[in-house]
Amino acid sequence: MTAYRKLRVIISGGGTGGHIFPAVSIANKLKEVNPETEILFVGAEGKMEMEKVPAAGYEIVGLPIVGLQRQLNLKNIVNDIKVPFKILQSIHKAGKVIDEFKPDIVYTYGSTVALHPLFARRFLCKHKSFKVVHGWDDHYGRIWGEFAGRAGKLFMDWMEKRIVKNSDAVVTLSYELQKIGNSWGVDCKYIPNGADHIDRSSIGSCHSSLKLTGTFNLGYTGDKAKWKRTEDI
């Protein structure tokens, strides 16, 4: 049986169950292969991870993170003005958490959350020997282009590339993102998830002839953003 050394791991990401529960599954697997591995979660204050992660048996530290809001109203405008200041606050706190916990690995899942350990390691932390492993879950430039226009898309395309290229390792559930990463000179590890388009020519005849019959109830739990292609459903 392969022996895995004890690690100190920070797992960062949350906001939705689609980020939280996969992160908890990763933590469970790390504890399974070596029960002595120490894990600390980092999330956003007031978000659901602050409840769900402790319920799963793990410690979590909250950062004062807020995200940009897509709908235009006075409340959201005030929120968006605060975003740059909250980002600076949360990066500073992330640096303190890293120096106190002294992780071997910081695993980040989703959007710009990888900015915190990358920036803190370069400019703030005394403890700099950890590796940043980024879970690249979506095309951020495309998403920002949807609600922030061309300027938002160009900015996030630039930011996304910086995150991917500066992380020590990148894993993705998307074959499309793996190809984009490869075009940037980054060896992204692809984990098939069944959501990508499948080339029928690469499927054996027994699989390509598979058909479902009868009546089915379909439940969709995501949002209605254009890049989710919910119109097709």
Side-chain angles (χ1 to χ4, degrees):
M1 182 177 177
T2 303
Y4 294 90
R5 73 181 180 91
K6 172 185 174 181
L7 294 171
R8 297 176 66 84
V9 181
I10 288 178
I11 299 178
S12 180
T16 67
H19 287 171
I20 297 166
F21 297 116
V24 169
S25 295
I26 291 170
N28 291 341
K29 187 64 179 181
L30 289 171
K31 295 290 283 186
E32 177 185 321
V33 299
N34 190 331
E36 294 186 357
T37 287
E38 297 179 51
I39 296 172
L40 175 66
F41 278 78
V42 174
E45 294 175 350
K47 297 296 185 179
M48 65 183 294
E49 59 263 28
M50 302 305 294
E51 174 187 346
K52 300 300 182 182
V53 169
Y58 296 101
E59 181 183 356
I60 186 168
V61 175
L63 301 182
I65 302 170
V66 294
L68 290 171
Q69 300 301 308
R70 303 179 188 183
Q71 294 183 344
L72 187 62
N73 57 51
L74 181 59
K75 181 180 177 181
N76 288 346
I77 291 173
V78 172
N79 173 88
D80 291 351
I81 292 173
K82 294 179 180 178
V83 167
F85 304 100
K86 291 292 186 179
I87 290 175
L88 292 175
Q89 277 185 281
S90 59
I91 289 175
H92 178 72
K93 186 172 181 179
K96 291 181 63 177
V97 170
I98 288 169
D99 278 340
E100 291 172 2
F101 189 74
K102 294 180 171 56
D104 300 296
I105 295 171
V106 175
Y107 175 76
T108 62
Y109 185 51
S111 191
T112 59
V113 68
L115 285 176
H116 292 71
L118 289 171
F119 190 93
R121 181 173 63 179
R122 182 168 182 179
F123 297 106
L124 299 176
C125 292
K126 295 178 181 178
H127 176 70
K128 297 180 180 290
S129 60
F130 63 93
K131 301 296 185 182
V132 177
V133 179
H134 181 50
W136 192 10
D137 68 326
D138 218 330
H139 197 314
Y140 314 141
R142 186 183 303 165
I143 294 172
W144 276 51
E146 170 69 19
F147 69 90
R150 178 170 173 77
K153 181 183 186 305
L154 291 174
F155 172 75
M156 188 48 65
D157 279 341
W158 175 84
M159 184 70 71
E160 183 172 24
K161 189 173 183 178
R162 300 283 79 73
I163 290 171
V164 171
K165 288 179 70 70
N166 285 286
S167 295
D168 298 292
V170 179
V171 295
T172 181
L173 300 177
S174 168
Y175 180 56
E176 177 189 2
L177 294 180
Q178 184 195 40
K179 291 193 294 183
I180 293 172
N182 289 344
S183 73
W184 295 341
V186 178
D187 181 19
C188 298
K189 304 301 181 184
Y190 171 53
I191 304 173
N193 71 90
D196 286 313
H197 172 74
I198 300 174
D199 181 2
R200 287 189 172 274
S201 65
S202 66
I203 304 175
S205 58
C206 62
H207 295 289
S208 60
S209 61
L210 179 66
K211 294 183 179 180
L212 298 175
T213 60
T215 302
F216 298 89
N217 293 323
L218 175 65
Y220 176 72
T221 59
D223 60 32
K224 296 181 179 180
K226 289 182 180 179
W227 61 89
K228 301 292 186 181
R229 301 196 309 180
T230 51
E231 297 88 350
D232 296 346
I233 298 176

